[in-house]
Amino acid sequence: MERPAWAPRGIDISVPSVSRIYDYYLGGSHNFESDREAARKAMEFMPGLPKIMQANRAFMRRAVGHAVERGITQFLDIGSGIPTFGNVHEVAQELHPGARVVYVDHDPVAVAHSEAVLDGNPDAAVLAADLRKPQEILDSPKLSGLIDLDRPVALLLVAVLHFIEDSDDPSAAVAQLREALAPGSLLILTHASYDGIPLAQEKAGGIVGVYKDIRNPLVMRGRAEIERFFEGYEMVEPGLVSMPHWRPDTPPEQEDPYAFSGYAGVGLLT
């Protein structure tokens, strides 16, 4: 397998990565054949995966816009992936020049590409770290150099928690991050679920096997389990809903049926 010039040295390009698979779903170019092969296998079970990712990205943009409307100008995006067009810093800084954004990811390709995209942008940075170790994120000089945790922050956990198994206690990580935030902060979250998928669960469950095979287990949680991540927050209207139903720009009935898979929500820290 030929190594692209942009691929960081030292990574095994034969091993798929969830962030690069996500990039492939969104039509990006920073993925390898191993990622594309895994994505195609997943789409054999759930052909609407790209539609789900597009709905996820559209929700993120609306939620960032809502944060700016509330006067929030600091954004911490954990599990940010590869910054394809319309990512957090582009949306936030267009609405509020000078908005500050810190991306966090543990994929070296995502980090390297983020660094290239953000080169020359003094108000955005990327940090190589893992959601499962929140204190390392909170203690990072890159974070403190841009983000003032004594002021409200929009914390984005978009399409990341479903890659954290219960044995790694994702609720504790989310709670630790919440404790570090100032009142008025927001939690912006999406999560995969069997709820809303226009397929029988037996068929949709095949995608879980694909991600297990590439050593990135996908945890499909139910509504009540996802709601618990918002403990300590007050849900912003319309609450925890499918992505097209969260403050839509266009009528939800025009969306692809796959776009309604899983949940999205925004919580306010009071």
Side-chain angles (χ1 to χ4, degrees):
M1 187 180 300
E2 184 177 350
R3 177 182 294 273
W6 50 262
R9 292 290 168 184
I11 68 164
D12 185 350
I13 65 175
S14 69
V15 178
S17 152
V18 293
S19 65
R20 300 193 304 267
I21 292 171
Y22 187 87
D23 178 67
Y24 174 77
Y25 290 145
L26 288 174
S29 60
H30 284 76
N31 48 76
F32 308 132
E33 181 54 34
S34 59
D35 306 308
R36 296 188 285 273
E37 181 180 354
R40 288 190 290 264
K41 285 181 180 177
M43 289 170 64
E44 289 176 8
F45 295 100
M46 200 181 298
L49 278 167
K51 294 294 183 182
I52 297 173
M53 306 313 163
Q54 290 163 19
N56 194 79
R57 181 55 59 93
F59 159 77
M60 178 274 290
R61 290 194 289 262
R62 297 195 303 275
V64 168
H66 173 75
V68 174
E69 287 176 4
R70 283 184 171 270
I72 294 176
T73 59
Q74 303 187 109
F75 297 83
L76 174 57
D77 184 359
I78 302 179
S80 52
I82 294 168
T84 51
F85 176 76
N87 215 314
V88 175
H89 73 283
E90 293 178 330
V91 177
Q93 291 175 356
E94 180 179 353
L95 294 172
H96 184 95
R100 296 187 166 192
V101 180
V102 172
Y103 292 114
V104 179
D105 206 284
H106 63 28
D107 182 341
V109 172
V111 172
H113 190 53
S114 298
E115 288 173 342
V117 168
L118 300 175
D119 185 39
N121 187 332
D123 296 316
V126 60
L127 169 63
D130 194 315
L131 172 58
R132 287 167 289 198
K133 299 178 180 178
Q135 199 60 48
E136 290 185 7
I137 298 171
L138 295 170
D139 290 342
S140 169
K142 282 193 175 182
L143 180 69
S144 59
L146 281 178
I147 303 293
D148 179 1
L149 292 175
D150 291 329
R151 294 173 44 237
V153 174
L155 169 63
L156 289 94
L157 299 177
V158 175
V160 63
L161 284 165
H162 47 239
F163 292 114
I164 309 293
E165 296 182 279
D166 290 340
S167 59
D168 286 319
D169 203 354
S171 293
V174 174
Q176 189 171 348
L177 291 165
R178 182 194 67 227
E179 291 301 313
L181 300 179
S185 294
L186 295 178
L187 171 60
I188 297 171
L189 182 152
T190 65
H191 199 295
S193 175
Y194 287 121
D195 298 350
I197 295 176
L199 288 174
Q201 182 169 328
E202 294 75 18
K203 173 72 171 177
I207 187 178
V208 174
V210 173
Y211 279 90
K212 184 178 180 180
D213 287 344
I214 64 170
R215 300 187 182 92
N216 283 285
L218 175 63
V219 185
M220 305 287 269
R221 296 186 172 97
R223 182 190 179 93
E225 293 174 287
I226 298 167
E227 282 181 328
R228 285 197 281 273
F229 290 123
F230 287 96
E231 184 176 338
Y233 293 89
E234 176 184 320
M235 293 301 296
V236 172
E237 288 294 331
L240 189 64
V241 294
S242 66
M243 292 176 286
H245 283 120
W246 199 90
R247 304 194 176 202
D249 295 325
T250 56
E253 55 269 19
Q254 296 179 6
E255 293 285 349
D256 185 280
Y258 276 97
F260 297 89
S261 307
Y263 290 101
V266 175
L268 172 66
L269 188 60
T270 57

